[in-house]
Amino acid sequence: MKVAVIYYSLEGNTKKVAMKILDKLNADIYELKEVKSVIPKTGFLKYVWGGKQVVMKEKPDLEELNINIDEYDCIFIGTPVWASTYSPAIRSFLSKYTIKGKKIGIFCSHSGGLGNTIQNIKDDLPGNDFITEIDIVDPLKNDIESNEKIDKWLQTINI
Ligand SMILES: Cc1cc2nc3c(=O)[nH]c(=O)nc-3n(C[C@H](O)[C@H](O)[C@H](O)COP(=O)(O)O)c2cc1C
């Protein structure tokens, strides 16, 4: 079973979850990065620009990933919640690659409003087997609770 962990993270929360998955599973990791990052990491403007990207269904150009999706049996996809759904970088990723017949795990971080994030990813990845999912509230801020939740979740994953 070959596993890939693919994630986007503006401020490091989703990255933290990705790294914990990596500690537990033998996986290759890929971070999605915009070619031109227009979203500030701090301050109110990140919500304005990020929210606009979501509403406009923008697909920002991503740096080359050098991934061969066909190699993998199982893919974990990680995203922060932006405006109640997945981040625009994930939209770019999903539209660029054909993902079918895979086992899929979904992880996301948010500040208390998961919205439709997980369901939207599932809807946009038809023809796959969704094996597990988790959402974590502000994993960097809630370090201890989030570590416990992630560790418990990881114990349930049998691949
Ligand atoms: C543009 C934008 C929109 C956001 N929308 C939501 C939201 O709808 N619900 C929520 O709970 N958190 C929202 N957040 C907060 C992030 O989901 C949260 O801080 C997350 O942990 C950040 O993950 P990251 O550090 O991996 O980028 C939003 C953040 C940004 C930048």
Side-chain angles (χ1 to χ4, degrees):
M1 172 76 63
K2 212 165 168 218
V3 183
V5 175
I6 300 168
Y7 72 97
Y8 172 77
S9 184
L10 180 69
E11 296 164 88
N13 289 278
T14 313
K15 181 173 191 160
K16 174 185 160 171
V17 185
M19 292 306 160
K20 284 193 67 79
I21 297 172
L22 209 62
D23 278 349
K24 163 87 199 260
L25 302 178
N26 184 14
D28 295 334
I29 190 148
Y30 298 90
E31 180 174 6
L32 304 177
K33 290 188 182 155
E34 296 113 333
V35 172
K36 223 192 315 165
S37 181
V38 294
I39 315 288
K41 289 196 180 193
T42 52
F44 179 71
L45 276 181
K46 71 182 176 189
Y47 298 107
V48 176
W49 286 108
K52 177 209 157 237
Q53 280 194 346
V54 172
V55 171
M56 304 301 283
K57 294 198 183 314
E58 287 179 18
K59 291 180 235 161
D61 288 337
L62 300 179
E63 287 180 9
E64 198 50 59
L65 262 197
N66 290 320
I67 186 174
N68 178 2
I69 293 282
D70 294 341
E71 268 182 42
Y72 294 99
D73 312 289
C74 174
I75 299 176
F76 282 77
I77 296 176
T79 181
V81 173
W82 281 17
S84 301
T85 189
Y86 58 77
S87 54
I90 297 290
R91 182 177 297 283
S92 304
F93 170 73
L94 296 181
S95 72
K96 183 162 177 190
Y97 294 94
T98 304
I99 300 173
K100 288 268 184 251
K102 309 287 183 194
K103 292 187 187 306
I104 303 282
I106 298 171
F107 59 103
C108 49
S109 66
H110 57 85
S111 300
L114 171 65
N116 300 317
T117 308
I118 290 174
Q119 191 55 50
N120 289 346
I121 294 177
K122 290 179 177 174
D123 290 347
D124 291 340
L125 275 175
N128 292 284
D129 179 16
F130 298 97
I131 56 166
T132 185
E133 63 198 47
I134 192 171
D135 69 286
I136 303 281
V137 178
D138 292 329
L140 290 177
K141 205 159 66 179
N142 303 319
D143 196 42
I144 295 169
E145 301 96 304
S146 68
N147 280 345
E148 278 174 7
K149 185 170 175 184
I150 298 164
D151 288 340
K152 246 191 211 161
W153 170 63
L154 286 170
Q155 281 168 16
T156 68
I157 297 172
N158 267 321
I159 49 173

